[in-house]
Amino acid sequence: MLRYIIRRLLWVIVLLIIVSMVTFVIFYAFPSADPAVLRAGRSPSPALIAHIRHTLGLDQPIYVQYWRYLENIILHFNFGYSYQFSLPVTKLIFQRLPATISLTVGAVVVWLLVGLPVGMISAIRRRTVLDRATMTATLVAISAPVYWLGLMSLLLVSNDIGVVHIFDGAGTYTGLTADPGRWFGSLILPWLVLATAFAAFYARLLRSNLIETMSEDYIRTARAKGLPEREVILRHGVRSAITPIVTVLGIDIGTLLGGAVLTEYVFNIPGVGRLAYEGIINADLPVIQGTVLFGAFFIVIANLIVDVAYAFLDPRVRY
Amino acid sequence: MGGTLHVITAEAWEHLDPGASYFQIDYLVEYATQSPLYMFTPTSPTKPVPLLASGQPTVSPDGKTVTVHIKSGWKFSPPVNRTVTSKDVAFAFERMYNANVVNGYAAGYFPIVGAKTAPGDRPIPGISTPNNTTIVFHLTKPFAGTMVKALTLPGTSAVPANYAPLAKADKSSPSTWDSNPPSQVFTGPYMIKSYSAGRSMTLVRNPNWSRSLDGVRPAYADTIVWSAGNDPTVAARQTLASSNLLMADTPPSPVLQTAYQSHKKQLSVAPLGIYYAALNTQVPPFNNINLRKAVIAMQNRNAYLLDRGGKLVGHVATGFIYPEVPGFAQAGGNAGGGQDFVSHPGGDKTVACKYMKLAGYPNCKYTGKYGQYGSVLIVGSNASPGPQEMQTVQSGLNALGFKTTIKAVPQQTMYSKFCGYVKAHITVCPTAGWIEDFPDPYAALFIPFSGQAIVPINNSNWPLLNDPKVNAALNTDAGITNQAARLKAFAQVNKMIVNDAPAIPEVWSDNALLEGTKVKGVLDPWNDDWNLAFSATH
């Protein structure tokens, strides 16, 4: 197992180098806008643009630029300097990471608490009214764009612009350490909005897996042995059916830690996704590149954790 | 007096170093926390009022020397605490020419003898400070008439000379003075107490600021709390539903319509700037002036206004001096200069045909050559209303027989890779826009239309207009100090530019702003936004 983890960690490094290369080529070799011009602002003198180009190293050959970029990341953990905010990208990302983690963790809890029971009940009560109703609801939830859902929820139930004043609205996010109560209150609505589609998807996924699993021979054997139905479902059915969900969960968590762009945007949660959005809008290339690399990092690490977790969930898996 | 003013925006700040600040939203902070030599105020939107300066500047008869006296006893905020001197103002100009600070306008508006953009803070030979309250600028050309207006820009705010943290910050490239705004030194009524990039900012009173010495800014609020990075729709609705919010950027059209219908008291409108479709005057086919006039005459310019949201957001433009700019009335006001090819906002086929014939196309259809792209290449922003505007211009061009190709790109890319990149030779840029740096016709016309302002990259003279007569007139008129004569002269330049037909005048835009029910927002018409040092909560 240890050798496997070390091997995977080495692959993580290789993968991140490849990602850095691809993002560098996209954003530096073929940028959507000239970084020096963007930094210079409106109507600068040619001397100023030349100075900025030199400062940013843009007057060097591409391979030298990439090598310096990689060197800065590896040796100094330096992802560059934001044109818009005049701050190091690393500092910006770390400032915003707690909000993204808060949003992700809470949403994961919500969608697992909602999605898994709904999936199980639907599978067990297959073809009943309850099953059809929940599956229709999940279809609607999956189809609703998160930005629209966010706006609608604010217009309906936020305590500033909502029809009914229930939850804290947009722009109220407070850090956990600053005020835990306000932190929780400000995130309830974003958690619900972000979790809606995921909960629906997980419910449908678990339902289909569980239906298939419950028709397996070993389930019949378990029942024949006289095990209580509850134990048959939870110990033998769900444990097997949940394995693919763990795979998807790992990827989803990794993706969201890279930034839940739309949810952060509509609720003005100062997270990494919001930062990535601002980077894109302002063609702030170091920020775009930094957030992409961080996103990639979280995804590959989450995948690694999932693969290791497989060994514990599925006795057939050995490394 | 007192209380907390809450500001909300979708956009966030870019640069809060007064030497680097060059953005509408940033100016709201700068004019509350710093003190330029002069200031356009809500009550004096076209004539600069002395702020740090003790009176109007003295200009030499040749227009090449400007002398400014500053008030005695004005102090920097903590931790510097000392009195501001003319050397601090001189240092502010040195910083603007420090390439590490990255100032976007110094070279254009402050042509001081010996000033050169280069890394590092260094004395400028053309600035002298004979005593602690006097500063003299020696200019390379007779430019005083324009420079005295530009002395309102944030870069002219005094910054402490010989202050070790600032000197150290300016040695970095870029200067790190911009990285942590609360650690800066302030001369305005407020100081930045806390700042989170792109998220939030809190301004508190500057204990060393004196209302009586300032004499201009009332600074009603005790604290100003600013939340940035909000979704514009949500922020606009929050402002309408609130008692204490001031929204400092334009709300989306649907919310704006709601405000017009049922929250009119919470709505203020200021003229914003101009949008126009630049026609490249240096490459075929629009290097032919009559073809340009034909195209302008054929355009349905009402459609551009509809593309942007209709009468709620502005008026159909007829020239390049727009309503908020002094000289608008002298240039003919809404009616413009009377040129036949801009007189019919809905388009006029007869006039268009007249100019097509003058261009050598008797059937009123273009059959000539195109440049390198084989058709008229239209490049515009892919964000609304860019695509609609491109279709509008395309429709007018097709009606005259032009073959067209549309390329929609992000706004930043449009400027830096296409319309602002001379070698790209883009034929039409229909989503270009301009807001003047300060309320003066020179600031509205020079960069967008002077041949001397053309630069190979990041060019803002998008039509690449290089008419020697216009260039000469802009240079000559820049030195005029008598306001009436100046406005008359620039109205004439505007007429010359319209006659050159470098662009389709689309829309004179308005900026609509929202405020909560118990906020008294005061507009700075020249910056098209609120002035926080004048706004208050009830």
Side-chain angles (χ1 to χ4, degrees):
Chain A
M1 174 69 93
L2 187 64
R3 281 182 61 189
Y4 172 77
I5 292 173
I6 291 169
R7 203 168 63 231
R8 285 295 303 269
L9 281 173
L10 289 174
W11 270 112
V12 164
I13 293 167
V14 173
L15 203 61
L16 287 176
I17 289 174
I18 292 169
V19 170
S20 77
M21 211 179 285
V22 171
T23 51
F24 185 85
V25 168
I26 292 171
F27 295 122
Y28 274 73
F30 307 109
S32 59
D34 183 340
V37 171
L38 291 173
R39 180 68 185 89
R42 201 166 79 166
S43 315
S45 64
L48 184 58
I49 292 178
H51 172 69
I52 295 169
R53 183 159 279 125
H54 178 70
T55 303
L56 297 178
L58 299 171
D59 52 356
Q60 300 289 324
I62 290 289
Y63 64 89
V64 175
Q65 290 183 45
Y66 176 68
W67 179 248
R68 283 190 177 169
Y69 175 73
L70 209 57
E71 194 179 58
N72 276 331
I73 292 176
I74 294 168
L75 297 182
H76 310 291
F77 201 59
N78 176 0
F79 286 75
Y81 207 76
S82 161
Y83 309 142
Q84 194 198 2
F85 299 123
S86 302
L87 283 171
V89 172
T90 324
K91 187 176 178 183
L92 283 167
I93 290 175
F94 279 107
Q95 272 180 355
R96 308 235 177 175
L97 210 48
T100 297
I101 292 171
S102 298
L103 180 64
T104 303
V105 171
V108 168
V109 170
V110 171
W111 87 57
L112 290 181
L113 284 178
V114 175
L116 298 186
V118 167
M120 274 189 270
I121 292 165
S122 280
I124 296 158
R125 303 274 167 86
R126 195 178 162 197
R127 291 184 184 154
T128 62
V129 175
L130 185 67
D131 175 34
R132 291 184 202 285
T134 51
M135 285 306 105
T136 306
T138 55
L139 195 63
V140 172
I142 288 172
S143 310
V146 72
Y147 177 76
W148 175 85
L149 200 60
L151 266 184
M152 287 301 112
S153 67
L154 284 169
L155 292 171
L156 288 173
V157 293
S158 71
N159 59 16
D160 47 12
I161 55 173
V163 177
V164 187
H165 294 185
I166 302 174
F167 300 111
D168 285 352
T172 56
Y173 175 79
T174 311
L176 174 62
T177 50
D179 186 339
R182 285 200 66 188
W183 169 84
F184 186 78
S186 67
L187 281 170
I188 293 175
L189 210 49
W191 282 335
L192 293 174
V193 167
L194 182 58
T196 300
F198 285 102
F201 175 71
Y202 279 57
R204 293 180 77 87
L205 188 62
L206 182 60
R207 177 184 178 272
S208 62
N209 285 340
L210 196 54
I211 286 170
E212 200 180 319
T213 307
M214 293 304 281
S215 62
E216 294 283 342
D217 289 345
Y218 71 89
I219 296 289
R220 200 180 311 121
T221 308
R223 282 183 176 134
K225 280 164 64 183
L227 285 176
E229 186 64 11
R230 183 188 172 86
E231 200 170 328
V232 172
I233 294 167
L234 291 177
R235 268 190 67 183
H236 297 278
V238 172
R239 187 176 176 189
S240 171
I242 211 161
T243 314
I245 290 194
V246 173
T247 311
V248 180
L249 181 67
I251 295 168
D252 285 341
I253 291 175
T255 308
L256 288 181
L257 285 174
V261 179
L262 292 174
T263 310
E264 289 179 7
Y265 177 70
V266 76
F267 288 99
N268 191 15
I269 295 169
V272 178
R274 171 90 221 179
L275 181 66
Y277 173 81
E278 286 159 0
I280 292 165
I281 290 295
N282 297 297
D284 197 345
L285 306 182
V287 167
I288 300 171
Q289 201 164 24
T291 49
V292 167
L293 273 179
F294 260 76
F297 172 77
F298 284 126
I299 289 169
V300 293
I301 291 295
N303 266 305
L304 174 64
I305 294 168
V306 164
D307 287 351
V308 173
Y310 261 11
F312 296 98
L313 282 170
D314 189 340
R316 293 168 299 180
V317 176
R318 289 284 177 272
Y319 297 113
Chain B
M1 189 70 75
T4 300
L5 194 60
H6 291 270
V7 183
I8 187 167
T9 49
E11 288 196 273
W13 318 275
E14 288 185 356
H15 304 292
L16 296 175
D17 175 344
S21 182
Y22 197 19
F23 178 47
Q24 185 189 30
I25 294 281
D26 295 349
Y27 280 10
L28 269 70
V29 180
E30 293 302 323
Y31 288 103
T33 59
Q34 299 292 350
S35 300
L37 290 170
Y38 297 87
M39 188 178 177
F40 292 101
T41 69
T43 50
S44 181
T46 56
K47 187 181 177 195
V49 173
L51 192 62
L52 180 59
S54 60
Q56 292 297 338
T58 310
V59 175
S60 65
D62 66 355
K64 290 174 77 173
T65 306
V66 178
T67 305
V68 177
H69 299 286
I70 66 167
K71 291 170 183 169
S72 301
W74 199 296
K75 284 180 119 182
F76 285 112
S77 68
V80 174
N81 292 318
R82 70 169 170 79
T83 303
V84 172
T85 71
S86 54
K87 288 185 176 58
D88 300 314
V89 179
F91 182 55
F93 280 81
E94 290 166 21
R95 290 193 77 240
M96 283 194 275
Y97 275 97
N98 178 346
N100 296 343
V101 175
V102 191
N103 180 286
Y105 53 77
Y109 296 131
F110 305 121
I112 301 167
V113 173
K116 190 181 168 193
T117 303
D121 296 323
R122 57 172 58 78
I124 298 174
I127 299 179
S128 56
T129 51
N131 58 50
N132 276 347
T133 56
T134 306
I135 183 163
V136 183
F137 302 97
H138 301 281
L139 310 182
T140 55
K141 55 185 179 182
F143 199 70
T146 300
M147 181 171 162
V148 295
K149 307 271 175 63
L151 292 176
T152 57
L153 291 168
T156 68
S157 306
V159 279
N162 304 318
Y163 180 53
L166 176 53
K168 188 182 169 194
D170 282 356
K171 281 180 185 158
S172 300
S173 182
S175 167
T176 53
W177 193 240
D178 199 22
S179 305
N180 185 19
S183 70
Q184 291 179 12
V185 182
F186 308 95
T187 52
Y190 297 99
M191 309 189 300
I192 301 175
K193 184 189 171 195
S194 66
Y195 171 81
S196 177
R199 294 163 55 184
S200 62
M201 177 171 7
T202 303
L203 307 182
V204 295
R205 286 198 182 278
N206 172 0
N208 292 344
W209 175 77
S210 158
R211 181 173 285 112
S212 58
L213 195 59
D214 186 300
V216 176
R217 293 170 288 188
Y220 295 117
D222 286 334
T223 310
I224 299 171
V225 177
W226 191 323
S227 162
N230 294 277
D231 176 271
T233 303
V234 174
R237 291 197 180 277
Q238 284 177 322
T239 308
L240 285 180
S242 79
S243 61
N244 65 347
L245 282 177
L246 200 58
M247 186 174 176
D249 40 23
T250 310
S253 282
V255 189
L256 192 56
Q257 295 204 350
T258 306
Y260 266 99
Q261 284 159 10
S262 49
H263 299 270
K264 264 196 168 170
K265 282 186 180 172
Q266 291 177 255
L267 186 69
S268 299
V269 179
L272 178 63
I274 184 171
Y275 292 103
Y276 51 87
L279 305 170
N280 192 325
T281 59
Q282 294 192 2
V283 294
F286 298 130
N287 52 356
N288 181 323
I289 187 170
N290 287 313
L291 283 181
R292 298 200 297 270
K293 287 180 179 176
V295 166
I296 295 170
M298 192 66 196
Q299 287 288 312
N300 178 0
R301 291 178 4 255
N302 291 324
Y304 292 107
L305 186 59
L306 293 173
D307 291 340
R308 290 200 168 264
K311 288 180 181 172
L312 297 182
V313 298
H315 313 272
V316 175
T318 55
F320 301 105
I321 291 184
Y322 32 98
E324 80 203 78
V325 179
F328 176 70
Q330 290 81 348
N334 285 326
Q339 293 87 346
D340 59 355
F341 56 93
V342 288
S343 298
H344 305 279
D348 189 321
K349 204 172 177 179
T350 312
V351 177
C353 199
K354 170 186 141 187
Y355 286 107
M356 287 300 284
K357 284 175 181 167
L358 285 172
Y361 301 96
N363 294 330
C364 304
K365 294 283 180 189
Y366 184 72
T367 53
K369 290 181 178 172
Y370 295 93
Q372 65 191 86
Y373 299 108
S375 66
V376 171
L377 179 61
I378 304 165
V379 178
S381 166
N382 59 7
S384 182
Q388 297 93 312
E389 288 185 329
M390 284 191 277
Q391 285 167 9
T392 302
V393 78
Q394 183 182 41
S395 163
L397 288 167
N398 291 346
L400 292 175
F402 289 96
K403 284 191 289 180
T404 53
T405 307
I406 281 182
K407 191 174 180 72
V409 295
Q411 180 93 355
Q412 300 273 19
T413 310
M414 178 191 87
Y415 285 125
S416 79
K417 289 259 173 175
F418 294 98
C419 298
Y421 183 54
V422 172
K423 281 186 182 170
H425 300 306
I426 305 306
T427 334
V428 183
C429 292
T431 53
W434 192 254
I435 303 173
E436 80 286 4
D437 289 329
F438 46 87
D440 182 75
Y442 179 87
L445 298 178
F446 181 80
I447 292 174
F449 297 112
S450 169
Q452 290 155 312
I454 296 173
V455 286
I457 47 177
N458 212 23
N459 174 51
S460 294
N461 179 346
W462 299 297
L464 296 171
L465 182 67
N466 193 7
D467 178 344
K469 287 179 185 169
V470 170
N471 298 347
L474 281 166
N475 279 346
T476 308
D477 298 349
I480 301 175
T481 50
N482 178 288
Q483 183 73 346
R486 185 179 177 87
L487 300 187
K488 198 175 165 190
F490 274 106
Q492 190 57 35
V493 179
N494 177 65
K495 192 174 180 182
M496 290 162 69
I497 295 171
V498 176
N499 284 339
D500 277 340
I504 304 162
E506 294 174 357
V507 174
W508 288 324
S509 177
D510 285 337
N511 198 20
L513 294 163
L514 301 177
E515 59 189 317
T517 52
K518 291 189 176 174
V519 182
K520 180 60 194 161
V522 176
L523 280 174
D524 234 348
W526 80 270
N527 193 38
D528 321 301
D529 213 325
W530 307 113
N531 188 318
L532 301 182
F534 285 79
S535 300
T537 52
H538 286 306

